[in-house]
Every structure is written in C-alpha cells, then in structure tokens.
Amino acid sequence: MDERGKWVDNKPLSGANKGTQGGLAISLSACADSEIAADTSVLTGKAMSGAMTYSFVHAVAKNPGLSYGELLRSMQEVIDQANKSNCLNSKLLSRVCSAKLLQEPVLSSTEIFDINLKRFEL
C-alpha cells in the first residue's frame, strides 16, 4: 500500500509468481524494501527492540478487534511518538538518520481488500 492507502503492484521484475495456490496471504513488514528497519531502546526504556515488532504488539494489545487500517495507523503512531523523543539514542545513528525512525509499517497481500473493513485476526 502507498501513503494514500492505495494498493501498489509489487510483482518482481523477474516475473516470478509469488502468489499462493489459493487462499489469502497477508504480510506485515517493518518497512519498504528500499528502507532500513530500526531497533531502538526508547520504546521499551530498556533493551533494544524492533520498532515494528514493538508497535505491532502494542497496537494489538491495546485495541483488540481492530481493522488492518487501524492496525497500521496505530503502529505508525507508536513510531511517530518515538520520533518525538530522540528515538535512536545513538550519536552515530542520529547523524545518519537525523535521530528519526525512517520507516513505516507496510501491508502486502495476495488479494486487494478494504483495510478499513477487514478485521485483523491472529
């Protein structure tokens, strides 16, 4: 999905079929292929953890029964909050990344569906 919530065709340039033999497959990724997923300690206040994993667990625990759209928005809110508090806690990473988690959660699927209607289920 792009930043406007529109589905994007991400078929590999090789033309390889990455579909399923039937059924719906959904994937949540920490960031787009061209981005770098970050670990940070600001979310836990202790040990380093993956920003996407932390934001996913936080969103699902806080809002059971949410839609995929709500899940993505809630995950992004956690990352945005971390960005407001110098999230990387590293001088080197702060210089390289401007002290921001430069990533957005990404939703991919074998089928197009309305992310605001379809409920997330474990």
Side-chain angles (χ1 to χ4, degrees), residues 2 4 7 9 18 27 32-33 38 40 54 58 62-64 85 87 91 93 109-110 116 122:
D2 67 10
R4 296 179 316 271
W7 288 100
D9 187 352
K18 296 181 100 180
S27 171
D33 291 345
T40 181
Y54 179 90
H58 179 79
K62 183 178 171 187
N63 305 301
S85 62
C87 64
K91 290 179 184 179
L93 290 176
S109 174
T110 56
N116 295 308
L122 285 177

Side-chain angles (χ1 to χ4, degrees), residues 54-120:
Y54 179 90
S55 66
F56 171 80
V57 170
H58 179 79
V60 172
K62 183 178 171 187
N63 305 301
L66 70 176
S67 71
Y68 279 90
E70 292 166 332
L71 174 62
L72 291 171
R73 286 187 289 278
S74 182
M75 290 170 66
Q76 188 61 51
E77 285 174 10
V78 170
I79 292 171
D80 292 345
Q81 290 279 17
N83 282 333
K84 291 179 182 176
S85 62
N86 191 12
C87 64
L88 297 178
N89 297 332
S90 164
K91 290 179 184 179
L92 174 62
L93 290 176
S94 293
R95 283 191 300 244
V96 172
C97 300
S98 303
K100 301 275 185 219
L101 292 171
L102 302 175
Q103 68 186 68
E104 291 182 18
V106 176
L107 173 71
S108 302
S109 174
T110 56
E111 299 174 13
I112 294 173
F113 62 89
D114 186 333
I115 65 167
N116 295 308
L117 294 179
K118 185 165 184 62
R119 296 285 166 206
F120 172 79

